[in-house]
Amino acid sequence: MSTYKELAGLKIKTVTSDPSNPLLGEMWYNSTTGSLKVRTFSPGSWTSANSAGGSYMTFAGCGTKAAYVKTMGNDGTPGPNPFGNDTKEYDGTNWTSAPNCPYSSRDPGGAGIQTAALFFGGQGSPATLNTSVSYDGSSFSGTPSMGNPRRSCNGGGTSTAAITVGGAGPASGSPEGAMTNVEHYNGSSWSEEATIPVASRGGTIIGSEPAALFVGGVSPASTATYEYDGSSWTTGGTANTARATQNAGGAGTQTAGLVYGGGPSVSAVESYDGTSFTSDSTLGSGNNGQGNANPTPYSAPTTALYVGNPNPPDSFPAAMTVEEYSVAAAATQTVAVT
């Protein structure tokens, strides 16, 4: 049997306190605690967080796990579902009430960060909406309307470089009226962009205009993805997990992104490097949820947040699922000795 020194080139030292900056693979015995320890690499992980009240289904949200905002949606009351306009903010620990959105809808879209967010579209009463508003962390303001009404929206980017792909428009013969239309908001107006090759609704957008990745949003579920460069769409890497028309979480950029959750009842998580997908740690429960919806690096300390509908879907009454992501990093672990 090989010794630790033969394998790692290091002896196991006896110390009275853990070293401040150990090397990966380094092992030591802490005589104070009586434990054998090793410096290793801890994979990414998800942990449960506090649930938010209010409209906990079919809402829009954006931000990071340290500063998030969600608004509109419905409370899951058996149909006809009432439309909500309540707003909640998350500070990394607690949810608090914020000013109501100027309009009520379910299935709207969102993009940006808590202090510079954009919300748009959704199903109103009785029509699908093209309404758009901005949020600065303390109040809402009206913005120019989208060119096309849509619900089952997705969104990504910033409040001055946002993009929404597809969505369900007025019924037009296809299921839910799924669209190929794409629109971009530049901080002052919406404009139409190149259409995506496949009609879609829901799904998720990673990145920002003009460098975005679209995942899911189709029926039947598919592993196909699409990249956008600001002028045209091309086929992206093939995802490991097929996702359908339910919303999924997305964080990061087109070349360093994270996609998580989605439908039908998908808990799988994958990272994307601009070419290929790699499986990551799974969510505790995934179904039709929202993610960061902005290009903040998901590897940053203010990393990814998943705010999802109840699972199983359409359960009432129920609480939404909120989970925080911790990126893979070096960590000290205690070795079990038998």
Side-chain angles (χ1 to χ4, degrees):
M1 180 182 293
S2 299
T3 65
Y4 174 74
K5 182 178 180 182
E6 290 171 336
L7 292 172
L10 300 168
K11 291 182 179 180
I12 297 179
K13 299 180 292 184
T14 298
V15 297
T16 57
S17 61
D18 294 340
S20 60
N21 191 26
L23 301 173
L24 278 174
E26 184 178 351
M27 185 175 285
W28 64 92
Y29 178 75
N30 187 316
S31 60
T32 302
T33 61
S35 55
L36 184 65
K37 297 188 176 183
V38 63
R39 189 67 167 176
T40 186
F41 199 75
S42 177
S45 61
W46 293 88
T47 55
S48 296
N50 290 325
S51 294
S55 299
Y56 58 79
M57 295 180 67
T58 62
F59 52 85
C62 61
T64 67
K65 80 172 186 181
Y68 197 85
V69 58
K70 61 174 287 289
T71 190
M72 294 181 279
N74 67 69
D75 64 3
T77 304
N81 296 144
F83 303 141
N85 68 342
D86 55 281
T87 303
K88 305 289 183 182
E89 292 184 347
Y90 186 63
D91 63 6
T93 303
N94 298 309
W95 292 90
T96 55
S97 295
N100 289 340
C101 183
Y103 76 101
S104 299
S105 77
R106 58 176 174 84
D107 293 312
I113 59 175
Q114 187 188 83
T115 55
L118 185 72
F119 297 106
F120 44 86
Q123 178 63 49
S125 179
T128 305
L129 304 172
N130 64 350
T131 308
S132 173
V133 296
S134 63
Y135 181 68
D136 63 6
S138 59
S139 62
F140 285 91
S141 299
T143 61
S145 297
M146 293 185 293
N148 296 272
R150 69 186 81 216
R151 64 187 185 280
S152 299
C153 296
N154 53 58
T158 68
S159 62
T160 57
I163 186 172
T164 184
V165 177
S172 58
S174 59
E176 291 286 337
M179 303 190 298
T180 59
N181 176 268
V182 176
E183 292 192 53
H184 162 235
Y185 185 71
N186 64 5
S188 59
S189 63
W190 288 91
S191 60
E192 293 197 14
E193 301 277 297
T195 57
I196 195 166
V198 59
S200 61
R201 60 186 180 90
T204 190
I205 299 171
I206 297 171
S208 185
E209 215 279 345
L213 175 74
F214 181 71
V215 181
V218 293
S219 181
S222 174
T223 58
T225 72
Y226 299 91
E227 294 183 354
Y228 187 59
D229 64 5
S231 60
S232 62
W233 292 90
T234 55
T235 300
T238 301
N240 295 309
T241 301
R243 289 175 169 84
T245 55
Q246 292 88 344
N247 287 103
T253 66
Q254 187 189 74
T255 56
L258 194 72
V259 57
Y260 39 99
S265 298
V266 172
S267 60
V269 179
E270 304 176 55
S271 61
Y272 187 65
D273 63 5
T275 302
S276 58
F277 286 86
T278 302
S279 295
D280 205 306
S281 57
T282 58
L283 289 163
S285 176
N287 178 63
N288 200 24
Q290 299 289 345
N292 290 31
N294 64 66
T296 302
Y298 74 89
S299 58
T302 53
T303 188
L305 186 74
Y306 176 78
V307 186
N309 283 352
N311 196 5
D314 302 323
S315 52
F316 175 82
M320 68 174 61
T321 299
V322 180
E323 297 186 46
E324 297 178 346
Y325 181 73
S326 296
V327 71
T332 296
Q333 295 184 358
T334 299
V335 179
V337 180
T338 56

